[in-house]
């Protein structure tokens, strides 16, 4: 009815095209970082040979082994986990209407850590070895992963149940998450108090998230879950935009806010649980990446979700690469670095304000 | 004028307490309707029951013979636009914020028709210069216009507005209410708005619905707005006079007794 004089405005199209270019640029950066990540390490491999090897035309059997068995799964895990944590974060910030929401706000990481502690201390799944390369071995990684995942999902179920009973308000979800987080942290402390030195070390080791833990067996599973979650959030981008405009506006636009909120939280919690269970606790990516992208493409979820997904891959891949070389020959778990890098970047972005 | 919306025996309960009981009225195409009554009487609740943001216990809301309360939420949003009292801002351009109003019509992505409709509403409301401004840098008046524009691109037959002028200065109040009246007449839709300011209601509305004790106390054209009715509804004696040909309501005494 209003279309009589409407045209598609060129300046708006230009504005959205610019956002698209930023995301494409970040995607290109992922490719460059991917090659760099595989190239550097204890044995340095020239980027050209990395590309050749990846395309199946490797010139050295040794490099082949290093790339295919060690560095490629690790780099891919960084991309997948970074993307997963970041999209879970951006979705939760919108659904919970809280800029501090991230996969860790809801106590999912604490639940995972508690699960790992249970498996190591109570069920005896871990012990220590004193080799430089691998100071601690978890003797039964499957058991630890499964128990950690079980507790992550238990925490998720409790949050969703309480939210469902109390009308799925964002405040209830966040406060339940904070309470659960405290409860599971207390549980970890309790178990640690009664553990041996070796068990204690194994628990602490597990808690440091490390993408190097991924293998060709676990990677496809993680990739499918992350891809599915990212697609799900993208499909809901208009619903999240509507919720960002206020619950009542969203309802006026036909969005079933409570349902979108519960379903979105379930997916965000699931993807976080899978990553925490497989790789350990990696902080800050889910919190910082959405805010980095907000400064560049704004709050429109149509660009924010894909942008954040790419930013997550960039941040975790870059962090992991630095973590592997910064104190060589020691290899730091990436979680130590994400917090170190994330915090100053975050504060810098806050001061710098929005990109116009 | 033909009846377009009729509300019958609408009942809403909140925790076993009757908030609205037996609400009934009908409104015609091309009219602006003011819902009046004291604080807490359920004006906003009534508005939210009409597009099922809140679920009424019983009753019907017939829009062109269709019962809105039996339609899906997206179907309702294609017929009824809602402008809440509080609008959240974010790092969005006004164009994107208004484009969101196309949500009930959008499949996978926006089409050029969606963009053209949004563009046209900016022209219509004289807001072209604001198109690419960020809404978190806007004034209250500009933001309210964006919210109204967003509801209009839903292409609604009925527009519901919850106190559209509550946070605005006098000039913006008049501007917004004029805009609403123009759009209602031009597109032959209906607008229902809750209001506190009886004087603004008298100037800009065609029909008046006074709510008291969960029911419609009285409804009709401006001739029903009389000192006895206002005293019954608000519990405050008032005088109604004319000032430059405009009817004005003022409290009869300063201490309210």
């Amino acid at each position: 009815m209003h279309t009589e004089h409407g045209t598609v405005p060129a300046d708006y199209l230009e504005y959205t095209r610019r956002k698209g270019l930023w995301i494409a640029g970040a995607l290109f950066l992922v490719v460059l970082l991917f090659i760099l990540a595989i190239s550097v390490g204890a044995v340095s491999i020239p980027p050209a040979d990395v590309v050749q090897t990846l395309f199946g035309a490797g010139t050295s059997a040794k490099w082949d082994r290093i790339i295919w068995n060690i560095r490629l799964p690790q780099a891919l895990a960084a991309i997948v986990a970074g993307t997963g944590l970041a999209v879970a974060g951006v979705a939760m910030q919108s659904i919970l209407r809280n800029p501090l929401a991230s996969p860790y706000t809801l106590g999912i990481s604490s639940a995972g850590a508690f699960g790992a502690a249970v498996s190591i201390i109570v069920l005896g799944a871990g012990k220590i070895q004193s080799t430089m390369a691998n100071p601690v071995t978890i003797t039964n990684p499957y058991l630890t992963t499964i128990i950690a995942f079980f507790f992550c999902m238990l925490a998720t179920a409790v949050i969703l149940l309480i939210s469902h009973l109390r009308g799925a308000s964002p405040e209830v979800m966040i406060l339940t998450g904070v309470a659960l987080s405290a409860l599971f942290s207390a549980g970890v402390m309790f178990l640690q108090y009664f553990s041996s030195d070796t068990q204690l070390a194994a628990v602490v080791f597990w808690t440091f998230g490390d993408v190097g833990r991924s293998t060709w067996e676990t990677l496809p599973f993680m990739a499918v879950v992350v891809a599915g979650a990212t697609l799900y959030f993208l499909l809901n981008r208009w619903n999240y935009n509507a919720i960002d405009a206020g619950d009542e506006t969203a309802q006026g636009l036909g969005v079933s806010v409570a349902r979108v909120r519960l379903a979105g939280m379930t997916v965000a919690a699931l993807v976080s649980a899978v990553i925490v269970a497989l790789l350990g606790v990696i902080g800050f990516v889910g919190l910082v990446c959405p805010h980095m992208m907000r400064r560049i493409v704004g709050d429109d979820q149509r660009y924010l979700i894909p942008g954040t997904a790419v930013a997550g891959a960039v941040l975790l891949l870059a962090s992991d690469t630095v973590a592997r070389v910064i104190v060589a020959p020691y290899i730091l778990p990436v979680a130590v670095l994400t917090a170190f890098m994330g915090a100053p970047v975050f504060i810098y972005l806050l001061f710098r304000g929005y990109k116009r | 004028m033909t009846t377009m919306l009729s509300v019958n025996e609408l009942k809403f309960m909140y925790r076993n307490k009757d908030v609205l009981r037996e609400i009934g009225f009908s409104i015609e195409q091309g009219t602006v309707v003011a819902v009046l009554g004291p604080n807490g009487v359920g004006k906003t609740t009534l508005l939210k029951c009409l597009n099922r943001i809140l679920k009424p216990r019983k009753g019907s809301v017939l829009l062109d013979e269709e019962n809105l309360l039996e339609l899906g939420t997206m179907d309702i949003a294609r017929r009824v636009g809602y402008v809440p009292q509080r609008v959240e801002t974010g790092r969005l351009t006004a164009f994107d914020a208004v484009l969101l109003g196309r949500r009930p019509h959008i499949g996978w992505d926006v089409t050029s028709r969606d963009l053209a409709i949004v563009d046209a509403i900016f022209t219509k409301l004289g807001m072209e210069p604001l198109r690419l401004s960020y809404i978190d840098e806007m004034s209250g008046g500009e933001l309210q216009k964006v919210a109204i524009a967003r509801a209009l691109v839903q292409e609604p037959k009925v527009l519901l507005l919850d106190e559209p002028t509550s946070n605005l200065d006098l000039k913006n109040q008049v501007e917004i209410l004029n805009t609403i009246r123009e759009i209602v007449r031009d597109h032959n839709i209906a607008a229902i708005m809750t209001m506190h300011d009886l004087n603004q209601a008298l100037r800009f509305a065609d029909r008046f619905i006074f709510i008291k004790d969960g029911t419609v106390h009285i409804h009709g054209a401006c001739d029903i707005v009389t000192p006895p009715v206002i005293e019954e509804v608000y519990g405050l004696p008032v005088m109604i006079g004319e000032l430059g040909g405009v009817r004005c309501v003022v409290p009869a005494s300063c201490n309210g007794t």
Side-chain angles (χ1 to χ4, degrees):
Chain A
M1 64 177 179
H2 306 289
T3 43
E4 307 92 73
H5 309 293
T7 51
V8 179
D11 52 351
Y12 176 72
L13 292 181
E14 170 60 28
Y15 166 77
T16 53
R17 201 178 63 90
R18 234 173 20 239
K19 291 193 199 183
L21 281 179
W22 271 101
I23 297 171
L27 208 52
F28 183 64
L29 191 60
V30 174
V31 176
L32 290 185
L33 275 172
F34 180 63
I35 295 168
L36 180 73
I38 296 175
S39 147
V40 302
V43 177
S44 140
I45 304 171
D49 292 280
V50 169
V51 176
Q52 265 188 356
T53 308
L54 289 179
F55 281 104
T59 47
S60 144
K62 184 182 153 207
W63 287 353
D64 257 20
R65 270 202 311 279
I66 293 174
I67 289 175
W68 288 102
N69 295 342
I70 302 167
R71 292 195 190 159
L72 185 59
Q74 180 154 0
L76 287 174
I79 291 174
V80 171
T83 302
L85 293 170
V87 292
V90 74
M92 288 172 57
Q93 287 173 10
S94 172
I95 296 167
L96 296 177
R97 314 186 51 76
N98 190 317
L100 287 177
S102 78
Y104 302 96
T105 319
L106 290 185
I108 291 166
S109 64
S110 312
F114 179 74
V118 168
S119 81
I120 292 163
I121 296 166
V122 181
L123 305 172
K127 65 168 190 189
I128 205 159
Q129 283 181 345
S130 51
T131 61
M132 172 98 55
N134 202 356
V136 182
T137 304
I138 290 179
T139 48
N140 192 339
Y142 289 108
L143 182 65
T144 306
T145 302
I146 289 166
I147 305 270
F149 184 71
F150 170 77
F151 277 98
C152 287
M153 291 318 286
L154 185 71
T156 308
V158 171
I159 293 164
L160 291 175
L161 184 70
I162 292 175
S163 312
H164 184 66
L165 294 175
R166 302 286 298 128
S169 85
E171 292 79 14
V172 169
M173 285 186 178
I174 290 177
L175 293 177
T176 310
V178 169
L180 281 182
S181 188
L183 180 69
F184 282 118
S185 301
V188 172
M189 282 198 283
F190 176 80
L191 287 176
Q192 284 178 337
Y193 192 79
F194 294 104
S195 67
S196 67
D197 291 355
T198 51
Q199 288 170 333
L200 188 63
V203 172
V204 172
F205 164 79
W206 187 91
T207 315
F208 297 147
D210 184 357
V211 290
R213 253 179 249 174
S214 87
T215 62
W216 284 115
E217 285 89 63
T218 55
L219 194 55
F221 173 60
M222 193 162 72
V224 167
V225 172
V226 168
T230 308
L231 187 67
Y232 175 81
F233 293 138
L234 276 173
L235 282 170
N236 276 283
R237 64 204 189 287
W238 287 103
N239 291 340
Y240 299 155
N241 267 341
I243 290 177
D244 286 343
D247 281 13
E248 292 181 350
T249 302
Q251 286 170 321
L253 291 168
V255 176
S256 307
V257 173
R259 206 161 62 204
V260 168
R261 197 165 262 152
L262 277 177
M265 285 310 294
T266 311
V267 174
L270 178 74
V271 68
S272 315
V274 167
I275 294 169
V276 168
L278 290 174
L279 303 180
V281 178
I282 301 172
F284 255 102
V285 177
L287 177 67
V288 174
C289 290
H291 289 292
M292 279 166 65
M293 267 298 143
R294 272 178 220 285
R295 306 279 141 171
I296 296 170
V297 301
D299 289 339
D300 186 348
Q301 304 283 349
R302 288 184 294 160
Y303 298 94
L304 187 57
I305 294 173
T308 301
V310 180
V314 169
L315 187 68
L316 203 55
L317 195 53
S319 302
D320 187 51
T321 308
V322 174
R324 286 191 292 120
V325 297
I326 193 169
V327 286
Y330 297 95
I331 294 174
L332 280 181
V334 69
V336 176
L337 212 80
T338 51
F340 267 125
M341 270 176 56
V345 166
F346 196 40
I347 291 166
Y348 167 73
L349 285 169
L350 287 177
F351 275 111
R352 189 172 146 260
Y354 285 98
K355 157 123 193 74
R356 292 305 302 261
Chain B
M1 282 192 285
T2 51
T3 297
M4 89 185 300
L5 184 85
S6 78
V7 177
N8 310 297
E9 293 179 18
L10 203 67
K11 180 186 168 91
F12 179 78
M13 291 175 80
Y14 181 74
R15 289 188 181 159
N16 294 325
K17 208 180 121 230
D18 275 346
V19 181
L20 302 175
R21 50 197 174 84
E22 303 287 311
I23 293 272
F25 58 88
S26 61
I27 61 178
E28 289 94 38
Q29 264 180 332
T31 55
V32 174
V33 181
V35 177
L36 302 159
N39 282 329
V41 78
K43 299 189 296 293
T44 301
T45 304
L46 169 60
L47 225 51
K48 287 183 182 171
C49 282
L50 296 183
N51 69 343
R52 228 185 60 194
I53 287 180
L54 295 173
K55 290 181 183 56
R57 206 39 84 84
K58 59 176 221 167
S60 64
V61 180
L62 298 177
L63 174 64
D64 295 339
E65 319 279 295
E66 264 180 319
N67 188 355
L68 286 181
L69 303 182
E70 284 166 1
L71 293 179
T73 51
M74 278 296 164
D75 287 320
I76 296 174
R78 285 187 208 110
R79 291 163 174 77
V80 182
Y82 179 71
V83 181
Q85 210 177 114
R86 210 175 118 73
V87 181
E88 302 285 337
T89 64
R91 199 63 179 173
L92 280 182
T93 61
F95 197 94
D96 285 321
V98 174
L99 185 61
L100 180 60
R102 296 298 297 163
R103 169 76 190 96
H105 302 272
I106 288 171
W108 167 251
D109 209 352
V110 291
T111 61
S112 50
R113 179 168 183 268
D114 294 317
L115 297 174
I117 288 174
V118 172
D119 186 56
I121 203 78
F122 273 91
T123 315
K124 169 115 200 147
L125 300 184
M127 294 163 61
E128 294 105 319
L130 290 178
R131 269 196 321 211
L132 294 187
S133 320
Y134 288 106
I135 58 169
D136 59 356
E137 291 170 359
M138 285 186 165
S139 70
E142 290 167 337
L143 203 57
Q144 187 65 295
K145 279 190 189 168
V146 167
I148 291 172
R150 174 156 58 209
L152 286 173
V153 299
Q154 281 174 254
E155 298 182 292
K157 292 173 178 167
V158 178
L159 199 55
L160 307 175
L161 303 111
D162 194 6
E163 292 183 31
T165 56
S166 57
N167 296 314
L168 304 181
D169 64 39
L170 198 58
K171 179 170 176 287
N172 272 306
Q173 288 182 19
V174 170
E175 233 178 85
I176 292 280
L177 291 171
N178 262 326
T179 306
I180 292 168
R181 199 164 62 172
E182 263 174 48
I183 284 165
V184 164
R185 304 239 160 111
D186 287 1
H187 297 287
N188 211 19
I189 62 176
I192 306 177
M193 49 188 183
T194 62
M195 292 185 90
H196 277 303
D197 189 333
L198 291 166
N199 291 312
Q200 299 287 30
L202 274 170
R203 282 198 84 164
F204 292 97
D206 309 298
R207 289 284 180 279
F208 304 84
I209 299 174
F210 283 94
I211 306 285
K212 191 192 172 191
D213 299 332
T215 58
V216 175
H217 184 67
I218 188 169
H219 71 112
C222 65
D223 54 297
I224 64 156
V225 185
T226 57
V229 165
I230 293 172
E231 186 170 354
E232 281 158 28
V233 172
Y234 289 91
L236 178 78
V238 297
M239 302 180 292
I240 296 187
E242 282 206 8
L243 198 63
V246 178
R247 291 176 76 202
C248 301
V249 181
V250 285
S253 66
C254 287
N255 59 12
T257 52

